Amino acid sequence: MKNSIRALRAEKGWSQAVLADRLDVSRQSVNAIETGKYDPSLPLAFAIARLFERRIEDIFDDEPEPCPREPGDQS
Amino acid sequence: MSSTRGFRAANRRYKYLFWPLMAVYVAVIIGAKLFIDDEVAPAWLNVAGALAATLPVVGTLYAIRRQTDETDEYTRMNQLLALRDGGMVTASIAFLIGFLQIFNVVGAIDVFWFGALFFFAFGLASLKHCIGRTV
């Protein structure tokens, strides 16, 4: 799942470690969520949204990414 | 609820239990080696020595279990995956050696080493799941 946590974190000037500290999770957790390797549970997603004062849907985007076109695909 | 404890508290509580247990384990092993001659000691003393050496290991397993309950969800997932992989490797090797013994390919091997193998495999799997997913 895509998300804008990295950008929001950059706005605040926080490192991954600072964000991890504020969420009381490991830095590896923040990295995995930011890079889309791990989707957080609903409680953690709410905690992230509260921290950045945004709605969950403003941070997380569950739209599937479009498939890359094959060379020569006219459709 | 366990999820309210968080990563830091879980780590702290794990270390507070793990390091004293390891100190006790090392002390018991050294003490038993120095003061118990298993060939002449009464059976109750040998049993007591074995129990004293086992209890810190059981305590360490409990510490891992508690940390798994209390830590953050991503760390918990990685720990459970590492326990799964460590368990699979240990069980597979135990079966392999067991069948090799049944077919008289290898001689007797102390069961003790399977416990040590589990912790080794769990440690390697932890590194794989922790480092492999985040670098």
Side-chain angles (χ1 to χ4, degrees), chain B:
Chain B
M1 203 169 134
S2 61
S3 61
T4 59
R5 290 194 184 275
F7 176 71
R8 278 170 301 182
N11 262 7
R12 195 167 48 243
R13 280 160 58 83
Y14 174 77
K15 285 174 189 166
Y16 283 168
L17 199 52
F18 176 80
W19 290 112
L21 284 170
M22 282 302 100
V24 170
Y25 179 73
V26 170
V28 167
I29 295 296
I30 292 172
K33 197 77 182 164
L34 288 177
F35 300 114
I36 299 178
D37 182 349
D38 59 348
E39 289 182 5
V40 295
W44 67 266
L45 188 57
N46 285 331
V47 171
L51 279 175
T54 304
L55 283 175
V57 177
V58 174
T60 303
L61 287 168
Y62 168 74
I64 292 170
R65 180 191 184 280
R66 191 176 70 176
Q67 191 195 28
T68 303
D69 275 345
E70 295 175 353
T71 194
D72 70 80
E73 59 192 52
Y74 180 71
T75 307
R76 179 183 307 118
M77 181 188 74
N78 282 337
Q79 283 178 333
L80 292 175
L81 289 173
L83 284 167
R84 178 200 67 182
D85 292 351
M88 279 177 57
V89 168
T90 307
S92 300
I93 292 176
F95 270 103
L96 173 64
I97 292 176
F99 279 118
L100 287 172
Q101 286 177 338
I102 288 170
F103 288 104
N104 292 318
V105 180
V106 298
I109 292 173
D110 290 339
V111 174
F112 168 82
W113 292 110
F114 292 109
L117 172 65
F118 169 74
F119 279 106
F120 182 70
F122 170 55
L124 279 185
S126 295
L127 281 177
K128 178 195 153 214
H129 286 295
C130 182
I131 295 171
R133 284 171 183 274
T134 56
V135 172

Side-chain angles (χ1 to χ4, degrees), chain A residues 31-51:
Chain A
N31 186 281
I33 294 168
E34 275 190 6
T35 53
K37 291 176 184 167
Y38 176 72
D39 293 332
S41 68
L42 211 45
L44 182 54
F46 270 112
I48 292 167
R50 261 195 305 274
L51 193 62

